Structure formats: structure tokens, C-alpha cells
Amino acid sequence: MKKAYQGLIKTLGRGAKGSRSLTLSEAHFLIRGFSDGIGTKVQLAAALMLMRVRGETCEEVAGAALGIKSTMSAQWSNLDVSIDWPCYAGKRELLPWLLLAAKVLASQGERVLLHGDPKSLSHRNHIAAHVEGLNIPKASNPDEAKAALDAVGICYVDADSFSPLVAQFRELHQELGLRSLFQIAIRCTNPANAPISLRSYFHPGLDKMHGKVAKLMACACLDARLPDDPYNDNLHRNFDNHFDNKLDHSMDSTAVNPAEQAFALKGRVGIFKGVQGETEINPRISTELTIATGDTSQVIYLPTRLEGFVGMNTLSSELALSPQQACLVLSQIWHHGEASDTRHESHSAFSSSASSKLGQIAEASVISTLSAIYLLQGKCQSVSQAQSLAIQAWRMR
């Protein structure tokens, strides 16, 4: 098996004429083999950088996501979650309004699982710093998550609690100074197999990648031939033949998680360009929302809600809130729809104009994000219906 793992690096690094990208099964083995001590950190780093230089394929990302997911406790799959909400990008300025939208959904009976990695891109403003200020519980294991979901319909989980691979990939990222396919793959894991899952991106072209990755993962979960066991004998016999897909057709389909199969059959993935890459609709621009299933894809355009909005740069420079102050602002907007100065005893430093603009941005962000989720759930047949429902939900919170 160690020789087979070494063969993955050879496959990627044989030169311009001899190298090729990994198949989904090979990428799955790259991740799972490292997790189980077959591959070394040096081998994994070499593979990641070879893929980074060439550009990762959808098959490689899908295989990596399935490999990461295979290291997660099956107890996460047993959680009753209706919306999977990965938040890994953070924001450079302003606040995570998406948390207000998530609270609205929880108040409507949805069970929302938020997750992210605040230790990665630590200079950014991650939701982990704000959830407790909005009475959103943090959970570190499936039992705690279940208790929180049962009690209030929402919880946040640091990605480290899902898999030890998260810390190892973060260490590689920081040591090498380069991103890898892990940053995309972790967003795609949907740990609890919720029927609705969100995907955000920033760089052009990643929308199409996320759409194809979602379809590849769905097909793999429905295909009994996918080797759930990374040491499948037949897989390794075919390694030198470039994983020619002559996998063991007699493999028992019960090896595939039923919850994963259910998501593959009926799950819906919402893909959009988020604010600075974070999983929140930007109300200042029109947004293309792709709704992907295992075999279909639909594109819906969400219009801007802040046409001609000015003063964003001034507002960003005016705000310099500590995490505690930011939590207070979020709480004020949740309860009252506006914020007051939380930095000084005098209110002069935090102008009424800034307070009004903050309220505008927050409300527009929440309504736009809720609209996208209602469309993703199939609750509305049109964007205008989704927006009306979102406005009503926000006002009735």
C-alpha cells in the first residue's frame, strides 16, 4: 500500500508528457491514505503542490472531499440537520450578517449547522467570534450538536471537531504559504448530510467547479463500486493501469452510508459568489445562484437590493469594533434593526448616518440570503415570492 501511495505522486509528477491528474478514487486514497499513516506529510505536500501548479480538477476535489468525509465520525451523519452552512472564508470588513439569516431560519423550525475554521486566514472576521454573542451555541462533538439543535435549532462547529485532518492541512497551508484543494474540498463535505447545502466562492470559474464536484460526489455515493475502503485489493491491483475503473463490481452497496445516498438522490446544493468569498449573498450586486442536484442544474439571478448605495468605504474605515463590540452591534440589529455606538461613551464617534447604513446593509444582506435559501428549498417559484417571504420572515423574527 505504501508503494501504491508513492505511485500517486509519480502519477502527478512524471513530467509534461508522462503526468496526469488523479481520478476521483485516487484523490480519495491520497487523503484517506495520509490519514491512516500510509502516506507521509512530505508525500502529501508534494501531491498538493503538483496539483496546485497545474490546477486541481473537479475529480480531484470531489475525491478529496469524500476522503476528508471518510475520516469524520459516523455520528455526525446521524444528526437531523436541514441546512448545511459552511463558512470558511471570513470577511475583511463589516460583520457576518449571515448569522442573522441563520437565526431567522432556526426560528422557523429549520435545523442549521454552521461550521468553519477561524484558525485559517486568522486575519479575517470569522463567524466563530460572533456566534455566542447571538446565543448560537458552539458544539465540539455530535452529542453537543444534537442537544443544541434540539434546543434552539442551530449550532456552530469548528472544523477541527470534524476531523484531525483539518489541523494537519492548516499546518501545511501555513508552512508552504499556498492554498490547496483542501480549502475547496472542506466546504463540500456536508458532515450531517443535510438536504440543503450551501457553497460560496470568490474567484471566477469556481461556480462551475462546485457544480461539477457536487454531481461527482452524488454519483460516487450512489455507485456501489466506489471503494469506501481505501485499501480495496482490486483498486490497488489496478493502480499501475491508472485506476482504469475496473473496480470490484461485487462490492456490497450497504458499504455506502444511507444518509449520503439520500442526499445524493434528493439533496440540493446552492452555489454563489459570496461577500469576499463568505457564504452570504452580497446585496450590493446582482448574484447568480446555481442550484445543483445529482443530475440537474438551474441558474437563478438575484437582483441587488442596494442599488446605488454609497458610503461603503467610509463606513468600513469608520468601523473599528472589537469582537465584543461587534457582537453587541449584531445583537442590537437582531433586536431593534439598528445599531448604536458601542465604542465610546459619546455617540458622536459613531454617527447616526453610519448606524442607519449598517441597518440598511444588514437588512438587505439578510433578505437576499434568505431569498436564496427559500429558492434553494423550493419554497418559492419566483425571486419576487422569495423576497416577499424573506422580508416577512425578517420582520416577524
Side-chain angles (χ1 to χ4, degrees), residues 61 85 90 154 193 212 222 224 240 251 273 342 345 361 388:
V61 173
W85 204 320
I154 188 171
N193 299 303
K212 187 171 181 183
L222 292 173
D240 291 332
M251 188 175 190
K273 182 176 181 178
T342 63
E345 292 182 3
I361 295 169
S388 295

Side-chain angles (χ1 to χ4, degrees), residues 46-343:
L48 293 175
M49 290 304 99
L50 285 167
M51 288 187 282
R52 176 85 265 187
V53 170
R54 182 248 302 144
E56 298 90 350
T57 67
C58 297
E59 288 77 9
E60 288 169 339
V61 173
L66 289 169
I68 296 166
K69 191 164 183 172
S70 75
T71 69
M72 297 180 180
S73 167
Q75 287 184 289
W76 291 109
S77 292
N78 296 329
L79 292 178
D80 179 15
V81 172
S82 58
I83 300 175
D84 171 65
W85 204 320
C87 303
Y88 288 82
K91 295 170 78 174
R92 286 191 294 271
E93 64 266 336
L94 292 184
L95 302 175
W97 311 121
L98 68 93
L99 293 178
L100 304 179
K103 279 180 67 71
V104 170
L105 291 163
S107 71
Q108 294 180 318
E110 300 294 344
R111 294 167 66 89
V112 183
L113 180 64
L114 300 157
H115 50 101
D117 180 15
K119 296 176 185 176
S120 179
L121 302 175
S122 57
H123 61 287
R124 291 218 173 187
N125 192 7
H126 290 273
I127 67 169
H130 306 288
V131 290
E132 291 179 313
L134 283 170
N135 297 318
I136 297 174
K138 286 185 176 181
S140 59
N141 58 60
D143 289 337
E144 291 178 358
K146 182 181 184 305
L149 291 166
D150 289 345
V152 293
I154 188 171
C155 73
Y156 168 81
V157 179
D158 271 344
D160 282 326
S161 297
F162 290 134
S163 170
L165 284 179
V166 175
Q168 292 170 297
F169 273 91
R170 186 194 306 119
E171 183 181 335
L172 279 175
H173 182 193
Q174 294 170 348
E175 186 174 346
L176 296 171
L178 290 171
R179 291 165 62 85
S180 70
L181 85 172
F182 179 81
Q183 277 71 38
I184 302 175
I186 188 64
R187 290 167 162 83
C188 304
T189 53
N190 189 2
N193 299 303
I196 298 297
S197 187
L198 305 179
R199 306 277 191 276
S200 65
Y201 64 93
F202 180 77
H203 297 290
L206 287 182
D207 54 337
K208 294 179 175 59
M209 171 175 276
H210 273 295
K212 187 171 181 183
V213 166
K215 287 178 170 59
L216 286 168
M217 291 180 69
C219 290
C221 288
L222 292 173
D223 188 352
R225 295 174 299 167
L226 178 69
D228 184 66
D229 180 354
Y231 316 134
N232 179 278
D233 290 339
N234 193 64
L235 181 147
H236 294 303
R237 282 198 300 271
N238 288 320
F239 184 85
D240 291 332
N241 293 324
H242 304 302
F243 276 71
D244 60 2
N245 295 322
K246 296 176 182 176
L247 302 175
D248 190 355
H249 289 258
S250 63
M251 188 175 190
D252 186 353
S253 62
T254 58
V256 181
N257 188 305
E260 291 183 7
Q261 288 185 319
F263 174 75
L265 285 168
K266 299 181 180 180
R268 295 159 70 89
V269 178
I271 305 162
F272 57 89
K273 182 176 181 178
V275 182
Q276 297 167 355
E278 190 55 289
T279 320
E280 175 184 297
I281 298 291
N282 188 346
R284 295 191 297 139
I285 61 172
S286 61
T287 298
E288 183 178 292
L289 170 68
T290 300
I291 300 176
T293 67
D295 56 4
T296 66
S297 183
Q298 176 187 12
V299 176
I300 299 174
Y301 293 92
L302 300 173
T304 176
R305 292 194 64 82
L306 292 175
E307 190 75 47
F309 184 88
V310 296
M312 189 69 180
N313 292 336
T314 302
L315 181 61
S316 297
S317 62
E318 185 175 342
L319 290 172
L321 304 175
S322 70
Q324 295 80 8
Q325 292 166 335
C327 287
L328 182 56
V329 168
L330 284 167
S331 180
Q332 289 172 339
I333 290 177
W334 172 256
H335 291 291
H336 308 294
E338 59 182 18
S340 61
D341 183 10
T342 63
R343 297 169 300 171

Side-chain angles (χ1 to χ4, degrees), residues 2 5-7 9 30 38-48:
K2 289 185 178 293
Y5 197 91
Q6 185 183 60
I9 290 79
L30 178 72
I38 296 172
T40 67
K41 180 180 176 181
V42 171
Q43 288 174 316
L44 178 65
L48 293 175

